[in-house]
Amino acid sequence: MRRLNRKKTLNLMKELDAFPKVPESYVETSASGGTVSLIAFTTVAFLTIMEFMVYQDTWMKYEYEVDKDFTSKLRINIDITVAMRCQYVGADVLDLAETMVASADGLIYEPVIFDLSPQQKEWQRMLQLIQSRLQEEHSLQDVIFKSAFKSASTALPPREDNSLQSPDACRIHGHLYVNKVAGNFHITVGKAIPHPRGHAHLAALVSHDSYNFSHRIDHLSFGELIPGIINPLDGTEKIASDHNQMFQYFITVVPTKLHTYKISAETHQFSVTERERVINHAAGSHGVSGIFMKYDISSLMVTVTEEHMPFWQFLVRLCGIIGGIFSTTGILHGFGRFVAEIIFCRFRLGSHRSTSVPLPDGHTSNHLPLITDNSMH
């Protein structure tokens, strides 16, 4: 009884077989079929390798939402070199809430030489080249995000030459914590002093001839400091053409949450618009000489997530490639054989029709002779 049930089950499974087996004696091979098969296998292998490379790659997904965090502090990372002595310049932040953040809260004034060493000039040249490529090819930003914490540091390398030249510039570097409202970070003549109506800079004791706001921005970023991230102003250098010159940077800061397979961090991206002009009160160009960075916080927050192709999707695409290639090559091969058979058949019919048959009266006939029993013998 069990054997009978097994036999019925086996017969049922044979009836459900969607891949019937053809005896080898019924299979006919050809040179054209072998050539097409070789091309199909080569194409399958090539596309499989390419698909595997796509499967290994990742991409960045951008999502936007309203930033509801207004109570936390915003960190500003600063590394700027000004072509003036440290005792002549002062840096601080004043926001819309008239809250003043003095540079003493986190910035360091370091006397340095403004001119870069050969190695530092090469670093600056490479950084400016990357900045120009980033402006042309925005997709490179995804590569920078994915390589964060993995690439080399973008900080200015230390001087390798022991120059005997006395320091003629001031490097202002460090970080400040400010409110998440629009504000103005500025570097101008004189140290900042508190004032009931805001703040002021003690510039009366500084000679006008010593004004020189030529500067180099080695690094400027907002939020958590992430090594390997290149910001829009990194590597910027401006040379003043006049003692009384104002440099302005209008910055829009966008809160950003970065989630990759390497890191998870809360940082900020920003875009910037630059403007510079000479202060000349007689010509109607009013203002204060210095470097002014006016920033505003966007109400939108961007979440950047690194994504990867699921394994099941890779298998589906791989099966589609293999099945599609074999089906397509089979159709093309069958169509090619059909066309070849039609051409060869017409050629054979034409050769038979052109055969002439002599008649008893000396004429010729181009018609095919009838096949009789005698001719068969």
Side-chain angles (χ1 to χ4, degrees):
M1 193 69 170
R2 292 181 179 178
R3 290 182 179 179
L4 183 60
N5 292 334
R6 290 180 181 177
K7 189 174 182 180
K8 289 182 179 179
T9 304
L10 185 60
N11 292 333
L12 179 62
M13 296 303 296
K14 288 182 178 180
E15 292 178 0
L16 296 176
D17 187 6
F19 308 97
K21 310 302 182 292
V22 180
E24 294 184 0
S25 58
Y26 295 164
V27 178
E28 180 182 358
T29 58
S30 62
S32 61
T35 303
V36 173
S37 299
L38 183 60
I39 296 174
F41 287 132
T42 305
T43 307
V44 167
F46 174 73
L47 292 182
T48 300
I49 294 174
M50 297 298 295
E51 188 67 23
F52 184 72
M53 294 175 63
V54 172
Y55 171 71
Q56 285 186 317
D57 194 16
T58 59
W59 62 89
M60 308 305 293
K61 179 182 178 182
Y62 293 82
E63 296 178 335
Y64 303 89
E65 58 181 316
V66 177
D67 183 18
K68 300 179 181 179
D69 183 15
F70 300 104
T71 58
S72 62
K73 294 289 185 177
L74 175 64
R75 171 170 169 161
I76 306 179
N77 307 295
I78 302 164
D79 191 350
I80 301 175
T81 301
V82 186
M84 293 180 64
R85 297 185 182 275
C86 291
Q87 61 266 29
Y88 295 157
V89 295
D92 60 338
V93 178
L94 186 66
D95 59 24
L96 288 182
E98 296 185 355
T99 301
M100 175 181 170
V101 180
S103 60
D105 295 339
L107 296 182
I108 300 173
Y109 292 78
E110 179 185 351
V112 294
I113 300 173
F114 186 76
D115 292 334
L116 297 175
S117 65
Q119 182 182 0
Q120 291 174 332
K121 288 181 180 179
E122 182 65 19
W123 168 88
Q124 186 186 39
R125 188 187 68 82
M126 291 298 299
L127 194 57
Q128 291 175 350
L129 180 61
I130 294 174
Q131 292 285 16
S132 62
R133 291 292 301 274
L134 283 172
Q135 294 177 2
E136 298 174 359
E137 303 178 21
H138 300 285
S139 59
L140 291 179
Q141 186 64 48
D142 293 352
V143 179
I144 293 177
F145 279 147
K146 290 189 286 187
S147 62
F149 276 148
K150 189 171 59 175
S151 59
S153 175
T154 58
L156 178 69
R159 298 189 72 94
E160 74 282 358
D161 56 341
N162 296 323
S163 177
L164 300 177
Q165 180 183 352
S166 60
D168 59 351
C170 184
R171 179 190 175 198
I172 304 173
H173 60 98
H175 61 271
L176 297 173
Y177 288 94
V178 299
N179 298 320
K180 290 187 70 173
V181 295
N184 182 3
F185 169 76
H186 53 272
I187 302 173
T188 187
V189 179
K191 301 299 180 181
I193 56 176
H195 193 272
R197 295 185 178 180
H199 79 295
H201 287 260
L202 190 61
L205 302 179
V206 182
S207 172
H208 184 270
D209 295 336
S210 62
Y211 286 17
N212 185 3
F213 284 100
S214 300
H215 61 281
R216 184 179 61 253
I217 303 175
D218 297 327
H219 180 79
L220 179 70
S221 63
F222 297 84
E224 185 178 347
L225 187 61
I226 303 177
I229 298 296
I230 298 177
N231 297 277
L233 286 177
D234 293 356
T236 301
E237 183 175 276
K238 299 291 184 179
I239 303 299
S241 58
D242 191 272
H243 293 291
N244 249 355
Q245 192 155 351
M246 173 190 288
F247 296 92
Q248 293 177 302
Y249 299 92
F250 301 93
I251 300 173
T252 301
V253 183
V254 181
T256 304
K257 290 184 178 180
L258 182 61
H259 301 287
T260 68
Y261 290 104
K262 298 293 182 181
I263 63 170
S264 290
E266 294 187 5
T267 182
H268 292 71
Q269 302 179 82
F270 66 90
S271 60
V272 60
T273 303
E274 304 176 12
R275 184 188 178 191
E276 58 182 85
R277 59 188 175 92
V278 176
I279 303 300
N280 189 347
H281 299 286
S285 178
H286 304 289
V288 179
S289 304
I291 305 167
F292 298 86
M293 298 183 177
K294 300 180 180 181
Y295 61 88
D296 193 8
I297 313 297
S298 174
S299 59
L300 291 179
M301 181 175 63
V302 182
T303 302
V304 184
T305 308
E306 185 178 8
E307 292 193 344
H308 187 273
M309 181 188 297
F311 183 70
W312 64 267
Q313 187 175 353
F314 168 71
L315 291 179
V316 171
R317 291 165 63 99
L318 193 61
C319 292
I321 289 174
I322 297 174
I325 289 176
F326 278 107
S327 299
T328 304
T329 53
I331 293 173
L332 293 177
H333 181 242
F335 180 75
R337 291 189 62 181
F338 174 73
V339 173
E341 288 178 357
I342 292 178
I343 295 174
F344 289 149
C345 287
R346 288 186 176 179
F347 178 75
R348 290 173 182 174
L349 288 175
S351 62
H352 285 296
R353 288 174 180 173
S354 62
T355 304
S356 59
V357 180
L359 297 177
D361 57 357
H363 297 283
T364 58
S365 174
N366 292 329
H367 296 284
L368 294 176
L370 294 176
I371 301 175
T372 60
D373 295 337
N374 295 330
S375 62
M376 293 179 66
H377 297 288

